[in-house]
Amino acid sequence: MPPELLSIVEKSMKEKKGLTTYVEINGRSCLCSVNHMGIKGHIAVILYDVTEMKEFEKIKKDFVANVSHELRTPLTAIKGFVETIEPSVEAENLKYIGIIKRHTDRLMRIVEDLLVLSGLENGKEFTEKSETDLAGLIENTMKIFEPVCREKKLELKQSVEQGLRKILSDPYR
């Protein structure tokens, strides 16, 4: 019996309770469930080979991280070019530049969220709280949902109570 598995079995017997953990056995990842039966000190050990699942999780994490990093570069370029041409754009086309900027920022936040999710899966924590203008946050959110509401003949209204202008939050989450 591998030493790691033996120590889990001994711990279960000593504490007279069940334990579940991951162990490496002969290069394979296993989910180990040790259950104390209570009868004459007997235990039941169940091993589930989860090697392929662990490998798939790693491939998924690597894919999300790589795609996120690859998307970041073109989105940053788009944002830079839009900001460069914005001053020379005719007034009637400025609304289109605004839409492009908003959606580029939105995609950049999605990419950032994917990187945060990938980091959280690896045990990192990402929260960037800052003083946020609540009215501005609501206004930006409304711009995203106004076309959908208009299409469904719904009216979207906002109301921010006086004194709630600034809040401490992560404005992108």
Side-chain angles (χ1 to χ4, degrees):
M1 184 179 303
E4 193 177 1
L5 182 56
L6 184 58
S7 76
I8 295 166
V9 168
E10 288 172 348
K11 184 176 180 181
S12 176
M13 289 175 73
K14 180 181 174 188
E15 296 177 4
K16 294 184 177 20
K17 69 176 187 177
L19 298 170
T20 302
T21 187
Y22 288 100
V23 294
E24 277 295 311
I25 299 175
N26 297 329
R28 307 289 295 175
S29 294
C30 295
L31 178 62
C32 174
S33 177
V34 180
N35 295 297
H36 190 269
M37 305 303 285
I39 304 167
K40 297 182 185 177
H42 290 141
I43 58 162
V45 178
I46 301 171
L47 297 170
Y48 301 97
D49 187 344
V50 293
T51 306
E52 288 180 20
M53 187 171 59
K54 289 269 192 183
E55 289 170 359
F56 178 72
E57 281 180 26
K58 184 181 178 341
I59 290 168
K60 182 192 74 155
K61 286 178 190 176
D62 290 346
F63 176 77
V64 168
N66 289 336
V67 167
S68 300
H69 284 292
E70 290 298 322
L71 285 173
R72 220 182 213 177
T73 303
L75 286 171
T76 302
I78 291 168
K79 183 176 180 169
F81 288 133
V82 167
E83 289 172 352
T84 301
I85 65 170
E86 185 175 22
S88 63
V89 172
E90 297 173 11
E92 68 266 8
N93 292 324
L94 276 176
K95 71 177 182 178
Y96 300 117
I97 292 294
I99 292 169
I100 293 169
K101 283 174 68 175
R102 255 192 337 275
H103 286 289
T104 302
D105 287 341
R106 185 170 172 224
L107 285 171
M108 289 176 82
R109 285 191 298 275
I110 290 170
V111 167
E112 190 61 34
D113 285 346
L114 285 172
L115 288 170
V116 167
L117 179 62
S118 178
L120 288 173
E121 287 179 340
N122 293 326
K124 298 177 188 172
E125 188 175 323
F126 295 90
T127 51
E128 296 181 20
K129 291 185 178 180
S130 61
E131 193 172 274
T132 305
D133 174 33
L134 184 59
L137 183 64
I138 292 171
E139 184 178 322
N140 287 336
T141 304
M142 288 185 66
K143 285 179 184 176
I144 292 169
F145 291 101
E146 277 177 342
V148 175
C149 289
R150 232 187 342 267
E151 189 177 294
K152 294 183 178 191
K153 294 182 171 78
L154 297 172
E155 186 177 357
L156 190 59
K157 292 182 179 183
Q158 69 169 316
S159 174
V160 179
E161 190 176 312
Q162 208 59 19
L164 283 177
R165 299 310 247 172
K166 299 283 183 188
I167 59 171
L168 186 62
S169 71
D170 187 330
Y172 300 112
R173 288 182 185 80

